[in-house]
């Protein structure tokens, strides 16, 4: 998420679009807008001109807390040696079939 | 979306240099990721020169989208049919959208939108020179779609693999939309070519005026592009100017034949040995003259852009005042 200063006080918003019913909202970009209603209008024009979405979320960029890339090792490495969390870790006799 | 030479220096880039220093751990991590063809994201450490190069390139690219709306925008009110008008509006709106995706990508590098716009409006920042030429007749609109967007697509496809994540993602979105731009232009020309002799002459005239300028869009020859090598090493640029230009020519010659126009280059001919078309000498003096601000429409384009921005100031102010008022009202009601 950006930490760039906003356009003469128009805050930055992150835009999330649900491409079709049943799928999750996915981050697709950001834009500047005076308020949430305007951010929604602009997100429609900027990110869904070709029916790319059925629903839009806009979130003030400033409201997002992101993990620090410097903490990447500390946060994510511990999962690397826990291979027993994956189904392929377990050997099951073939005659059992799909499990 | 129209990138020309991505390494056209502007004021902000003049003092740009790669500062050699003791390689830090961060720098080593950055280099390792680039070497492994990985992606750099906004929060990752990056060398200042990499950041500056990207800001300059992405903002030039964004400005090109925005200024690129002007030559075609001139024809919206004069499109020959309601269908062509609707198509042209959609295309121009797309270009505005491309500009916004790109400004957003540049902002992730810590440069504000207002700062970039100020650079454009003061004339410090560059944009693609192709938009400093006039659109004289309706065929120009078709030729811009076919050749200018066509050249832009050649330039942009490799940028989808750019090492900077937000730029690459913006490019993927843009490339998905560009194909329509090129096809609508080519089809509009096909229709004119099936018309009267006068209409065919208009198409040929537009091709004659735009062909060489489109070839220059790929930027100076590799031998004269000192920044290119660093851009390549950083994975910002993937294919050289000359290589892209050649690809564009090879792809366009058969299209021109189907359309029934000639490309205005007596030296243009197939080279069996190279497996490519040979082509004539590009007028680089004219290119640089236009980059420096002396093309036929530089002043008009910039003035139109600045006027539009200034005329919109009251709208931006009003939207902000309204948002503040709404917020105050909410706070009062909650109290
Ligand atoms: Fe575009
Ligand atoms: Fe385009």
């Amino acid at each position: 998420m950006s930490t760039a200063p906003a356009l003469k006080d128009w805050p930055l918003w992150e835009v999330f679009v649900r491409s079709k019913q049943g799928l999750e909202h996915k981050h697709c970009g950001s834009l500047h807008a005076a308020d949430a209603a305007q951010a929604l209008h602009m997100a429609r024009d900027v990110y869904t001109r070709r029916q790319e979405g059925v629903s839009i979320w806009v979130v003030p960029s400033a409201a997002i807390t992101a993990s620090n890339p410097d903490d990447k090792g500390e946060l994510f490495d511990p999962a690397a040696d826990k291979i027993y969390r994956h189904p392929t870790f377990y050997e099951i006799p073939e005659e059992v079939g799909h499990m | 979306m129209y990138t020309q030479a991505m390494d056209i220096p502007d004021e902000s880039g003049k003092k740009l240099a790669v500062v050699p220093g003791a390689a830090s751990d961060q720098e080593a991590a950055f280099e390792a990721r680039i070497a492994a063809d990985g992606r750099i994201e906004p929060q990752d450490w990056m060398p200042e020169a990499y950041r500056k190069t990207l800001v300059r390139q992405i903002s030039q690219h964004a400005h090109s989208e925005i200024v690129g709306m002007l030559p075609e925008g001139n024809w919206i009110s004069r499109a020959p049919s309601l269908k062509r008008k609707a198509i042209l509006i959609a295309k121009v709106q797309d270009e505005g959208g491309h500009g916004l995706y790109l400004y957003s990508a540049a902002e992730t590098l810590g440069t504000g939108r207002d700062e970039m716009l100020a650079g454009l409006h003061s004339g410090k920042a560059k944009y693609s020179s192709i938009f400093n030429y006039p659109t004289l007749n309706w065929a120009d609109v078709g030729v811009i779609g076919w050749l200018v967007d066509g050249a832009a697509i050649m330039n942009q496809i490799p940028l989808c693999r750019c090492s900077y994540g937000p730029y690459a993602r913006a490019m993927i979105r843009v490339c998905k939309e560009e194909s329509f731009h090129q096809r609508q232009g080519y089809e509009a020309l096909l229709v004119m070519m099936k018309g009267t002799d006068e209409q065919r002459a208009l198409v040929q005239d537009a091709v004659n005026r735009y062909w060489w300028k489109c070839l220059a869009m790929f930027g100076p020859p590799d031998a004269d592009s000192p920044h290119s090598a660093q851009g390549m090493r950083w994975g910002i640029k993937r294919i050289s100017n000359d290589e892209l230009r050649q690809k564009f020519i090879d792809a366009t010659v058969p299209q021109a034949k189907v359309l029934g126009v000639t490309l205005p280059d007596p030296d243009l001919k197939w080279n069996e040995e190279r497996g490519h078309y040979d082509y004539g000498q590009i007028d680089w003096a004219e290119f640089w003259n236009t980059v420096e601000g002396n093309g036929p429409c530089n002043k008009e384009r910039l003035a139109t852009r600045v006027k539009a921005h200034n005329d919109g100031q009251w709208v931006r102010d009003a939207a902000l005042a309204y948002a503040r008022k709404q917020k105050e009202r909410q706070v009062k009601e909650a109290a």
Side-chain angles (χ1 to χ4, degrees):
Chain A
M1 307 305 127
S2 171
T3 51
L7 174 75
K8 300 259 190 309
D9 301 326
W10 272 23
L12 193 64
W13 302 76
E14 298 301 325
V15 180
F16 299 80
V17 172
R18 160 175 282 162
S19 58
K20 68 180 205 214
Q21 214 57 42
L23 294 183
E24 71 277 44
H25 285 76
K26 232 176 119 182
H27 183 244
C28 69
S30 58
L31 50 77
H32 289 281
D35 58 26
Q38 194 196 23
L40 273 179
H41 279 136
M42 307 231 296
R44 199 231 18 199
D45 288 344
V46 177
Y47 292 108
T48 62
R49 287 193 300 282
R50 288 180 179 77
Q51 297 182 291
E52 290 93 336
V54 294
S55 160
I56 301 173
W57 289 348
V58 291
V59 180
S61 304
I64 290 178
T65 307
S67 65
N68 184 340
D70 294 342
D71 298 339
K72 196 170 135 246
E74 206 176 304
L75 287 174
F76 306 113
D77 285 355
D81 60 0
K82 295 177 179 60
I83 48 172
Y84 47 84
R85 285 178 173 168
H86 297 277
T88 45
F89 181 74
Y90 304 93
E91 257 176 61
I92 305 288
E94 216 156 285
E95 64 252 44
V96 176
H98 178 74
M99 182 185 268
Chain B
M1 167 90 21
Y2 311 96
T3 57
Q4 56 183 13
M6 318 293 199
D7 33 23
I8 295 297
D10 59 29
E11 304 289 309
S12 69
K14 268 188 183 146
K15 285 167 218 107
L16 183 63
V18 185
V19 185
S24 62
D25 287 353
Q26 287 170 315
E27 199 168 349
F30 171 86
E31 291 293 342
R33 192 174 298 175
I34 292 287
D37 205 16
R39 293 290 176 271
I40 307 298
E41 293 295 337
Q43 291 177 308
D44 295 332
W45 184 91
M46 62 189 86
E48 232 8 70
Y50 177 84
R51 185 185 298 274
K52 278 193 179 156
T53 299
L54 278 168
V55 168
R56 190 183 62 202
Q57 178 170 328
I58 301 171
S59 61
Q60 272 184 19
H61 201 156
H63 299 331
S64 302
E65 300 290 346
I66 299 299
V67 177
M69 297 163 81
L70 301 177
E72 289 179 293
N74 280 341
W75 281 91
I76 289 176
S77 61
R78 284 172 277 165
S81 67
L82 185 58
K83 174 184 145 187
R84 293 292 165 190
K85 187 194 284 241
I87 292 170
L88 189 55
I89 290 172
K91 185 198 187 262
V92 171
Q93 191 190 18
D94 272 357
E95 305 302 3
H98 297 175
L100 293 178
Y101 307 154
L102 285 158
Y103 283 129
S104 295
E107 280 176 281
T108 63
L109 291 156
T111 303
R113 180 87 48 109
D114 45 355
E115 199 180 318
M116 289 185 271
L117 290 180
L120 172 65
H121 296 161
S122 72
K124 258 203 270 175
K126 302 294 179 204
Y127 57 85
S128 184
S129 279
I130 195 82
F131 302 118
N132 289 317
Y133 297 97
T135 37
L136 301 178
N137 73 57
W138 171 251
D140 288 32
V141 173
V143 166
I144 287 179
W146 173 37
L147 296 179
V148 176
D149 286 82
I153 291 169
M154 282 288 171
N155 255 334
Q156 287 165 176
I157 287 173
L159 286 172
C160 295
R161 293 182 291 121
C162 169
S163 62
Y164 188 58
Y167 192 23
R169 291 191 287 274
M171 281 299 102
I172 290 169
R173 188 173 285 281
V174 163
C175 283
K176 273 189 198 156
E177 299 180 352
E178 286 294 346
S179 166
F180 142 62
H181 297 180
Q182 191 181 22
R183 289 172 68 109
Q184 64 81 33
Y186 190 72
E187 193 229 31
L189 296 176
L190 280 171
V191 170
M192 285 184 84
M193 292 303 283
K194 285 187 202 124
T196 63
D197 284 347
E198 202 188 348
Q199 284 176 302
R200 278 187 285 276
L202 287 175
V203 175
Q204 185 61 60
D205 171 61
V207 171
N208 291 348
R209 280 181 289 109
Y210 272 94
W211 174 248
W212 288 103
K213 280 139 189 110
C214 290
L215 296 191
M217 280 175 71
F218 294 94
D222 296 346
D224 304 330
S225 308
H227 295 286
S228 275
Q230 181 61 275
M232 292 267 212
R233 218 182 53 75
W234 273 332
I236 296 173
K237 196 172 174 58
R238 298 287 186 175
I239 305 181
S240 82
N241 295 353
D242 285 334
E243 222 176 309
L244 286 169
R245 187 164 18 242
Q246 185 71 63
K247 272 178 89 147
F248 173 72
I249 292 167
D250 292 348
T252 307
V253 171
Q255 295 166 359
K257 207 171 160 198
V258 173
L259 188 58
V261 295
T262 52
L263 298 171
D265 178 359
D267 297 321
L268 188 69
K269 56 174 177 292
W270 180 253
N271 182 325
E272 191 66 57
E273 210 172 299
R274 291 202 309 125
H276 292 293
Y277 282 92
D278 289 337
Y279 56 98
Q281 191 61 42
I282 296 168
D283 186 349
W284 291 111
E286 199 221 317
F287 171 79
W288 285 114
N289 190 46
T290 307
V291 169
E292 294 308 324
N294 307 314
C297 300
N298 293 58
K299 289 190 182 70
E300 182 192 330
R301 298 286 184 243
L302 209 55
T304 307
R305 180 58 226 150
V306 169
K307 182 177 186 304
H309 185 74
N310 292 343
D311 287 354
Q313 186 61 50
W314 74 269
V315 179
R316 294 190 292 278
D317 291 344
L320 205 53
Y322 178 77
R324 282 206 189 107
K325 224 158 121 187
Q326 291 295 105
K327 207 174 230 172
E328 277 165 25
R329 191 170 296 161
Q330 275 173 7
V331 171
K332 236 181 251 166
E333 273 166 18

